């Protein structure tokens, strides 16, 4: 079940994707010609040096950014043909973001932070609270729901962010350097959590420049100067099979 | 459903952020608070005036006409009016007996400041009003104690007096005045009744007079100098006003020997004259108030707009987060519009509370020092509180529009890039 499904429709399909920034008179090619299929329940790591275009690619996949060239199909839908409101709806329903800097609302407690995507989905308050609580419990923070971000450790903040990403049951979890701001112990914790989420059937794309982190994934894509340098299954994968309860 | 969720969430968030920055929010909303205060206080003053007007009209009766040498609306043709011949009691009686359409018609003549003796004390500044027994049939002649004088007493020129409410209180502070005697110009009058409290802003003198039969009045005061008698005519209903007015005018012109080409040398006054006086008052209040209100709202809007721009700048990251999890541009726009409107609405509620307290104390204590302000009521008119809230929401939405547009255009990638 954890094996790549090479048959059937890809969850995401990128065709000749490019992203060019105009900086003054100069053009910066963040992405040049990206071709990529990702299937359901894959666990993909994107690696590459700083400035290689990893975040740009994630933003395009997450429908926060739009490519300057090429086509992007999400569940068979050509994302390039959607307007701003439809893109917002896709972000809300299909995508769960996890950022390096956590990006929690500082004045809201854990529960309110996790509720946030459900507000824009128009879900009633009681249902929101129920689902946000469940999501927090699933990441092991059931006893921290009324804590504000500044009352939580880095690892706990990232778990809240993961709960927020999971709460809408999205098709895709996108994590851009989720352990980049954590000590190695907390980073390890977060990776365990991603691993478990993946075994529950989620699709995960994770950006990292740390080899040990990438080793948790099933498949590793390396970027350099906006191009895919390599894309291969991870043969030396770390698993938590012995540790997962 | 979605919109309702977002709006209720927006209001909750707004209240939270106002609470988190209480002082800043208050300063930002100060202009609006002042503007709203002007609106409700103006509304308060005007509704007090309107009520005073209505009271006066109810007291006199909308269907009353007063034929008089003097003109109630004042001002116009003052010299010409002053030169009119007085209306004599004879003319008044003639008119009253010839009227066929009126329900009640009464003569009235006043001295504004007489000296009265009661319980061996002298009181001055009391007005004496000579009239007929029919006055007791008018709403203004309702008694709270005793009775009005009768036709018999009027004809026989009995020395009987009916006191206005305030006169009774002044002359007989803790006594029942019925059956007591008072001296008017050295003559003894028996008190047989006390008229109900009637006074309104426009008619407060009415509580301060003593009613005696008109014959006695002329007997006592008539020789002193000539006085003009007025004739109060109750038409019976508003529909009949025109007929009654025309009949009275025609009869009066004959009685006064006017040639067809001569203008009336008397006025026919109606309660409409009060409305004119009050509408001038109202115009003054609005004129002074409106300028200040507009100024306050302009200052207020600038304050709100400013604080909202600051708020947007401080919260670009929050906006980015919201967009990343699925907020549409219009959701963000709405959130900030709700926030500025809520800020103004909270400002409005603050000023309503403040003004309610102010108004309560002003209405309670000011009339003790300035009796003319007795028309003020100790509460704010509810409809003006509603208008004020509506205006506040509108002002907030207008002032918040540019900041909200800026917020809705925040680029999520840009705002989330750095800590
Ligand atoms: N808004 C922008 N304007 C101009 N250049 C940009 C912008 N965003 C990213 N870039 C450039 O695009 C390239 C890829 O950036 P990024 O995707 O953030 O790389 P990574 O995440 O791999 O470090 C870099 O050279 C970066 O400077
Ligand atoms: Mg990056």
């Amino acid at each position: 079940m954890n094996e790549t499904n090479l048959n059937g429709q890809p969850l995401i399909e990128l065709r000749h994707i490019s992203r060019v920034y105009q900086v003054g008179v100069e053009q910066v090619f963040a992405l040049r010609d990206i071709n990529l299929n990702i299937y359901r329940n894959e666990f993909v790591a994107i690696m590459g040096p700083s400035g290689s275009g990893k975040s740009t690619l994630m933003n395009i996949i997450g429908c926060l950014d739009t490519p300057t060239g090429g086509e992007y199909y999400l569940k068979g839908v050509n994302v390039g043909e959607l307007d701003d409101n439809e893109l917002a709806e896709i972000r809300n329903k299909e995508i769960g973001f996890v950022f390096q800097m956590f990006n929690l609302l500082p004045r809201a407690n854990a529960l309110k932070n996790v509720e946030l995507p459900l507000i824009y989905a128009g879900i009633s308050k009681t249902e929101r609270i129920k689902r946000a609580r469940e999501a927090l419990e699933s990441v092991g923070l059931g006893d921290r729901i009324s804590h504000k971000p500044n009352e939580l450790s880095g690892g706990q903040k990232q778990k809240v962010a993961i709960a927020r990403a999971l709460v809408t049951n999205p098709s895709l979890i996108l994590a851009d350097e989720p352990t980049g701001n954590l000590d190695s112990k907390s980073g390890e914790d977060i990776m365990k959590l991603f691993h478990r989420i993946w075994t529950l059937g989620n699709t995960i794309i994770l950006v990292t420049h740390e080899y040990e982190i990438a080793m948790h994934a099933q498949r590793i894509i390396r970027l350099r100067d906006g191009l895919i340098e390599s894309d291969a299954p991870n043969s030396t994968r770390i698993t938590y099979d012995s540790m997962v309860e | 459903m979605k919109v309702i969720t977002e709006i209720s969430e927006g209001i909750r968030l707004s209240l939270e952020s106002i609470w988190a920055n209480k002082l800043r929010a208050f300063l930002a909303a100060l202009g609006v608070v002042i503007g709203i205060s002007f609106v409700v206080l103006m509304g308060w003053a005007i509704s007090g005036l309107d009520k005073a007007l209505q009271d006066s009209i109810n007291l006199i009766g909308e269907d009353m006409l007063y034929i008089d040498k003097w003109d109630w609306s004042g001002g116009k043709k003052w010299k010409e009016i002053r030169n009119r011949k007085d209306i004599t009691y004879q003319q008044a009686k003639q008119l009253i007996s010839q009227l066929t359409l009126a329900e009640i018609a009464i003569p009235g003549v006043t001295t504004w400041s007489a000296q009265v003796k009661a319980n061996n004390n002298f009181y001055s500044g009391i007005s004496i009003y000579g009239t007929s027994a029919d006055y007791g049939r008018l709403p203004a002649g309702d008694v709270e104690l005793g009775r009005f004088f009768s036709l018999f007493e009027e004809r026989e020129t009995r020395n009987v007096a009916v006191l206005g409410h305030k006169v009774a209180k002044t002359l007989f502070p803790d006594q029942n005045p019925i059956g007591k005697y008072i001296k008017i110009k050295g003559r003894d009058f028996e008190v047989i009744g006390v008229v109900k409290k009637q006074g309104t802003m426009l008619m407060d003198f009415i509580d301060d007079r003593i009613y005696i039969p008109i014959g006695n009045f002329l007997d006592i005061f008539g020789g002193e100098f000539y006085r003009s008698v007025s004739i109060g005519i109750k038409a019976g209903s508003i529909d009949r006003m025109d007929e009654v007015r025309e009949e009275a005018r025609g009869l009066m012109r004959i009685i006064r020997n006017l040639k067809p080409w001569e203008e009336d040398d008397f006025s026919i006054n109606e309660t409409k004259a009060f409305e004119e006086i009050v509408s001038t008052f109202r115009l003054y209040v609005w004129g002074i108030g409106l300028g200040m209100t507009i100024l306050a709202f302009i200052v207020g809007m600038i304050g709100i707009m400013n604080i909202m721009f600051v708020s947007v700048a401080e919260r670009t990251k929050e906006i980015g987060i919201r967009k990343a999890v699925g907020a549409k541009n219009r959701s963000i726009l709405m959130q900030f519009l709700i926030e500025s409107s809520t800020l103004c609405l909270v400002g409005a509620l603050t000023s309503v509370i403040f003004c309610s307290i102010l108004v309560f104390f002003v209405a309670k204590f000011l009339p003790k020092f300035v009796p003319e302000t007795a028309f003020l009521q100790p509460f704010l008119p509810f409809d003006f509180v509603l208008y004020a809230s509506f205006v506040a929401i509108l002002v907030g939405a207008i002032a918040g529009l540019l900041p909200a547009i800026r917020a809705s255009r925040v680029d999520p990638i840009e705002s989330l890039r750095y800590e």
Side-chain angles (χ1 to χ4, degrees):
Chain A
M1 169 195 170
N2 290 345
E3 292 310 299
T4 306
N5 176 12
L6 290 171
N7 319 313
Q9 191 190 44
L11 179 62
I12 67 179
E13 198 179 340
L14 302 179
R15 293 283 161 264
H16 308 295
I17 290 289
S18 64
R19 178 66 166 98
V20 184
Y21 290 106
Q22 191 74 41
V23 181
V25 290
E26 228 177 298
Q27 289 194 318
V28 179
F29 288 82
L31 297 174
R32 287 166 196 275
D33 181 27
I34 303 290
N35 292 285
L36 190 62
N37 282 357
I38 293 175
Y39 294 85
R40 274 186 203 287
N41 200 214
E42 276 199 279
F43 188 171
V44 180
I46 298 177
M47 295 194 71
S50 180
S52 57
K54 306 183 295 294
S55 295
T56 305
L57 181 58
M58 287 294 258
N59 290 337
I60 286 173
I61 293 173
C63 297
L64 268 179
D65 197 2
T66 44
T68 40
E71 278 159 12
Y72 167 25
Y73 296 90
L74 177 70
K75 289 169 118 179
V77 174
N78 187 349
V79 169
E81 289 171 356
L82 304 180
D83 65 20
D84 278 358
N85 287 337
E86 291 166 322
L87 290 175
E89 249 166 62
I90 289 202
R91 290 198 296 275
N92 186 241
K93 289 200 174 64
E94 308 290 351
I95 313 283
F97 275 107
V98 179
F99 301 92
Q100 179 176 357
M101 298 302 191
F102 319 124
N103 285 339
L104 300 175
L105 299 181
R107 279 183 297 162
N109 64 22
L111 191 74
K112 281 274 164 216
N113 265 291
V114 177
E115 262 187 66
L116 196 59
L118 301 178
I119 287 169
Y120 296 109
I123 287 164
S124 75
K125 194 175 175 79
T126 41
E127 176 72 8
R128 269 183 348 236
I129 291 173
K130 181 173 155 280
R131 282 169 64 174
R133 192 187 288 271
E134 281 167 7
L136 279 165
E137 276 161 7
S138 77
V139 300
L141 286 181
D143 56 344
R144 294 282 189 280
I145 59 169
S146 46
H147 288 228
K148 298 251 173 90
N150 62 6
E151 297 160 348
L152 296 170
S153 72
Q156 288 171 328
K157 279 187 232 184
Q158 199 59 300
K159 285 182 181 174
V160 174
I162 292 170
R164 181 179 66 191
L166 287 171
V167 77
T168 52
N169 266 320
S171 309
L172 189 58
I173 306 280
L174 300 177
D176 193 349
E177 311 236 19
T179 60
N181 250 24
L182 301 177
D183 58 78
S184 53
K185 168 75 180 60
S186 313
E188 192 75 11
D189 254 15
I190 293 300
M191 288 320 294
K192 271 190 221 174
L193 185 55
F194 274 120
H195 195 276
R196 204 180 79 220
I197 291 165
W198 171 59
T199 59
L200 292 172
N202 288 288
T203 311
I204 298 170
I205 306 178
L206 177 145
V207 163
T208 181
H209 55 261
E210 290 174 72
Y211 189 70
E212 306 84 76
I213 298 295
M215 280 306 110
H216 292 274
Q218 239 186 338
R219 172 181 170 191
I220 298 177
I221 297 170
R222 287 172 193 278
L223 289 188
R224 183 175 293 277
D225 293 336
L227 282 167
I228 294 179
E229 188 185 51
S230 70
D231 179 355
N234 177 15
S235 47
T236 55
R237 196 153 65 86
I238 304 174
T239 67
Y240 286 105
D241 289 347
S242 54
M243 305 167 83
V244 174
E245 53 275 75
Chain B
M1 183 61 225
K2 222 169 184 169
V3 174
I4 292 169
T5 311
E6 283 183 29
I7 288 176
S8 66
E9 188 61 17
I11 293 171
R12 191 189 61 78
L13 263 165
S14 309
L15 292 174
E16 234 171 53
S17 84
I18 291 169
W19 189 246
N21 297 299
K22 284 180 282 288
L23 186 63
R24 190 173 91 173
F26 176 72
L27 292 175
L30 196 59
V32 173
V33 169
I34 292 170
I36 296 288
S37 300
F38 279 137
V39 173
V40 292
L41 290 178
M42 275 192 304
W44 169 62
I46 287 169
S47 74
L49 278 172
D50 285 345
K51 187 174 177 303
L53 167 67
Q54 201 51 54
D55 286 351
S56 302
I57 291 172
N58 291 346
L59 168 60
I60 296 170
E62 268 183 298
D63 61 341
M64 282 299 285
L65 300 168
Y66 281 87
I67 296 194
D68 202 341
K69 173 181 173 183
W70 307 106
D71 199 291
W72 285 1
S73 41
K76 58 183 173 188
K77 305 184 287 178
W78 166 249
K79 263 208 178 110
E80 186 192 314
I81 288 172
R82 200 186 48 189
N83 289 333
R84 286 172 174 173
K85 275 185 283 175
D86 288 327
I87 299 173
T88 63
Y89 182 43
Q90 281 315 311
Q91 292 173 335
K93 278 207 289 200
Q94 232 178 309
L95 177 66
I96 290 167
S97 65
Q98 290 171 10
L99 281 167
T100 59
L101 301 171
E103 186 186 319
I104 305 172
I106 50 128
V109 58
T110 305
T111 171
W112 288 100
S113 183
Q115 210 181 42
V116 175
K117 189 181 169 198
N119 286 336
N120 283 320
N121 293 317
F122 284 100
Y123 300 89
S124 54
I126 293 171
S127 101
I128 313 290
Y129 184 73
T131 187
S132 69
D134 275 344
Y135 189 94
R137 291 166 60 200
L138 296 176
D142 281 351
V143 289
E144 62 180 16
L145 279 177
R147 56 180 178 82
F148 211 83
F149 53 78
S150 66
L151 190 60
F152 177 76
E153 286 162 328
E154 179 201 334
R155 294 247 171 91
E156 298 290 307
T157 60
R158 291 287 164 87
N159 282 345
V160 288
V162 178
L163 307 184
H165 178 84
K166 198 170 156 212
V167 182
K169 283 264 171 307
T170 313
L171 302 190
F172 302 100
D174 5 74
Q175 285 171 290
N176 183 348
I178 307 297
K180 299 274 181 332
Y181 281 85
I182 57 173
K183 263 194 163 61
I184 302 171
K185 269 219 152 180
R187 294 197 202 177
D188 281 322
F189 278 79
E190 185 188 353
V191 177
I192 58 165
V194 176
V195 172
K196 274 188 195 151
K197 182 167 171 48
Q198 308 275 19
T200 65
M201 176 190 61
L202 297 165
M203 301 278 295
D204 58 346
F205 59 85
I206 210 168
D207 286 329
D208 223 350
R209 65 189 189 187
I210 296 172
Y211 303 81
I212 59 174
I214 188 163
N216 306 49
F217 182 97
L218 294 171
D219 199 18
I220 302 173
F221 298 102
E224 226 168 79
F225 52 89
Y226 223 59
R227 272 163 229 280
S228 187
V229 177
S230 78
I231 302 100
I233 301 171
K234 185 170 165 57
S237 77
I238 297 183
D239 308 335
R240 299 182 49 200
M241 292 281 272
D242 288 339
E243 302 171 343
V244 171
R245 189 189 301 110
E246 281 324 300
E247 185 188 33
R249 164 173 290 135
L251 289 170
M252 198 60 188
R253 286 183 64 90
I254 295 167
I255 291 166
R256 301 276 274 179
N257 280 323
L258 293 177
K259 306 279 181 318
W261 57 86
E262 283 177 318
E263 272 186 52
D264 290 351
D265 63 350
F266 51 91
S267 289
I268 302 180
N269 297 307
E270 295 173 36
T271 54
K272 281 205 196 93
F274 288 108
E275 284 168 45
E276 277 165 36
I277 295 169
V278 167
S279 70
T280 335
F281 260 115
R282 196 187 286 140
L283 218 61
Y284 282 138
V285 175
W286 276 117
I288 299 165
L290 209 62
M292 288 163 88
T293 308
I294 290 171
L295 196 72
F297 274 128
I298 289 172
V299 173
M301 279 202 196
I302 292 170
I304 297 286
M305 196 182 313
N306 232 17
I307 211 72
M308 289 310 293
F309 271 128
V310 170
S311 177
V312 171
E314 278 176 355
R315 288 156 64 192
T316 45
K317 196 170 191 89
E318 175 191 322
I319 297 164
I321 294 169
R322 288 176 183 276
K323 286 193 169 183
V325 302
K328 291 172 185 159
N329 292 356
R330 67 168 120 93
S331 307
I332 302 294
L333 185 85
M334 195 168 70
Q335 182 191 331
F336 280 88
L337 286 183
I338 288 173
E339 186 155 333
S340 60
S341 291
T342 309
L343 185 58
C344 287
L345 191 60
V346 170
L349 293 181
T350 310
S351 47
V352 165
I353 292 170
F354 168 76
C355 290
S356 294
I357 296 170
L358 181 78
V359 154
F360 179 80
F361 283 105
V362 168
K364 275 264 154 359
F365 296 111
L366 189 62
K368 296 216 165 91
F369 307 103
V370 190
E372 289 77 15
T373 58
F375 68 90
L376 294 170
Q377 295 180 275
F379 50 83
L380 296 175
F382 184 67
D383 47 351
F384 267 83
V385 171
L386 281 186
Y387 299 150
S389 308
F390 180 74
V391 167
I393 291 172
L394 204 68
V395 163
I398 294 170
L401 192 60
L402 288 179
I405 288 173
R406 181 181 288 182
S408 74
R409 290 191 181 155
V410 163
D411 175 7
I413 301 171
E414 203 58 45
S415 67
L416 292 178
R417 193 185 311 248
Y418 309 104
E419 187 74 324

